[in-house]
Amino acid sequence: MTEQPDFRRMPIADAVRWLAENGEPADPRNDIDTASLTRRFPHLSGVETADIRIDGPHGRLVPARLYRDAAAPASGRALVWVHGGAFIGGYLDMPEANWVALEFAARGIPVLSVDYVKCLGDVHFPEPTDEVRAAFTHAVAHAAELFGVPSDAVLLGGASAGGNLTAGAVAQLQDAGDPVPAGLVLVYPVVHPNGPEASEVVDLASPHGQLALNFAGSDEALRDPHAFAALGRVDGFPSTLVVVCEKDDLRPSGEAFARQLEDAGIRVALHLEVAAGHGHINEPSDPTALPTIEAIAEWISA
C-alpha cells in the first residue's frame, strides 16, 4: 500500500492541488469513530444521529448531521455547528464535528453539524459561506422538528475556518436585514485576512496569507467583510462567545474581534483555554478539549 503524504506539511499550493486531485485522506487515528468515543465517554451513549442533506445555493446539497439526546435535560437552545479545516479540509466524522456535537447533544443542546464545499480548484468565497448560511436558514425554518425548540433559540457556531464561515454568515444576515442567530460561538476563529496579526494586511509569503487568499479567491475578496467579518460593521451581531487558545498563532484574531464586538455594544464573553493549542477540540484525548466543550455548553445554556 502506498503511504499517503501528509498534506498538512506540504506547501499550501501543493496541498490544495493534492487534495483537489485525491480527496482528503482517512484519519489514521483508530479511536475517533462514534463507537470508540462512546466507549471512552459513556455519557454519549444516548445521543441519536441522523444524516440529512440541505439544498444549497450553488447547485449542491449541503451535508449535515443531526444530534439529539431525548434523555438529556433540555437546555431550550440548539446549535448549528461548523467544523474547521483551513477551508480546504474537514468533514462530518472528524472529532471537531462529530465528537463536539455528541458532547453538546448529551448536555441537552441539540446540534446540526454542517459540512460545506472546500476551497479547492475553482471554488472560493462566497460559496462555503453561502452554504453555511443556507444550512442555518434551513435549521431555523425547521427548528421545531429538528431540535424541538423555537426558531429564535437556534445559535450558530464554528471552529477555526468554521468560525470564519459562521461569522461571515452572520455578517451576511446582518447586512441583508435578516434575523441573526440567538447567539454566536467562535472557537479559535480566523476573522481577519491576517489572523496572527489581527490585520487586513496579508503576507502572501506566509502559510496563513496563502490560505486566506485561497479562501477569498482574489485580492478584492480579501477585503470583503463577508469573507472576514472583522473588516465590517458588527453592531447587529448577537451575543457572542469567543474561545481562544494560549498556544495559538490565531489567538490575536479572536481577541481583537471580541474587543470589536464589545466596542460595538454587543454582549461578548472571551474564554481563554490555558495550555491549549489550535485545533485542540479535534483531539478528544487532549486534556484541554473537554474543558472547552464544558465552557461552551455552560455559556449556551446560561
Side-chain angles (χ1 to χ4, degrees), residues 12-294:
I12 299 302
D14 292 345
V16 169
R17 185 163 46 251
W18 191 91
L19 288 167
E21 293 174 356
N22 299 280
E24 189 158 354
D27 194 306
R29 293 174 288 181
N30 61 8
D31 60 351
I32 60 168
D33 59 285
T34 299
S36 297
L37 291 170
T38 301
R39 285 193 294 272
R40 197 189 322 179
F41 305 105
H43 62 277
L44 305 180
S45 61
V47 179
E48 296 183 351
T49 66
D51 287 345
I52 65 174
R53 291 184 178 272
I54 298 164
D55 289 332
H58 296 283
R60 292 179 294 263
L61 293 174
V62 179
R65 184 175 298 158
L66 178 66
Y67 294 75
R68 294 185 66 169
D69 186 340
S75 69
R77 298 188 134 195
L79 176 68
V80 176
W81 176 252
V82 185
H83 65 77
F87 307 107
I88 60 175
Y91 50 98
L92 290 178
D93 288 325
M94 68 188 291
E96 196 173 76
N98 185 49
W99 176 62
V100 169
L102 288 167
E103 289 286 356
F104 289 143
R107 289 165 169 78
I109 304 166
V111 176
L112 185 67
S113 180
V114 176
D115 203 0
Y116 49 89
V117 67
K118 306 309 180 296
C119 293
L120 303 171
D122 294 331
V123 175
H124 304 285
F125 168 84
E127 294 187 39
T129 310
D130 291 346
E131 290 192 349
V132 168
R133 178 183 175 184
F136 172 75
T137 300
H138 175 89
V140 169
H142 301 275
E145 62 187 271
L146 288 172
F147 307 123
V149 303
S151 60
D152 61 358
V154 180
L155 293 82
L156 180 60
S160 193
N164 168 288
L165 299 176
T166 54
V170 171
Q172 289 181 332
L173 292 166
Q174 168 192 252
D175 292 345
D178 294 333
V180 298
L184 180 63
V185 178
L186 303 177
V187 181
Y188 39 74
V190 51
V191 288
H192 298 78
N194 183 338
E197 301 294 333
S199 167
E200 62 184 59
V201 180
V202 180
D203 176 11
L204 293 180
S206 72
H208 288 292
Q210 292 165 27
L211 284 169
L213 180 59
N214 180 67
F215 164 60
S218 69
D219 289 338
E220 181 182 6
L222 279 171
R223 299 185 292 273
D224 192 319
H226 293 171
F228 296 96
L231 303 183
R233 51 181 282 263
V234 296
D235 54 290
F237 269 54
S239 297
T240 300
L241 170 66
V242 179
V243 177
V244 296
C245 303
E246 182 181 19
K247 302 175 180 180
D248 182 9
D249 288 346
L250 292 176
R251 175 180 171 183
S253 185
E255 290 180 332
F257 195 57
R259 292 192 297 270
Q260 182 177 349
L261 290 165
E262 185 174 37
D263 289 345
I266 306 302
R267 189 164 62 182
V268 60
L270 179 64
H271 175 84
L272 171 65
E273 198 62 67
V274 176
H278 192 83
H280 70 289
I281 60 171
N282 196 43
E283 180 47 76
S285 63
D286 189 313
T288 64
L290 204 55
T292 294
I293 298 295
E294 291 168 344

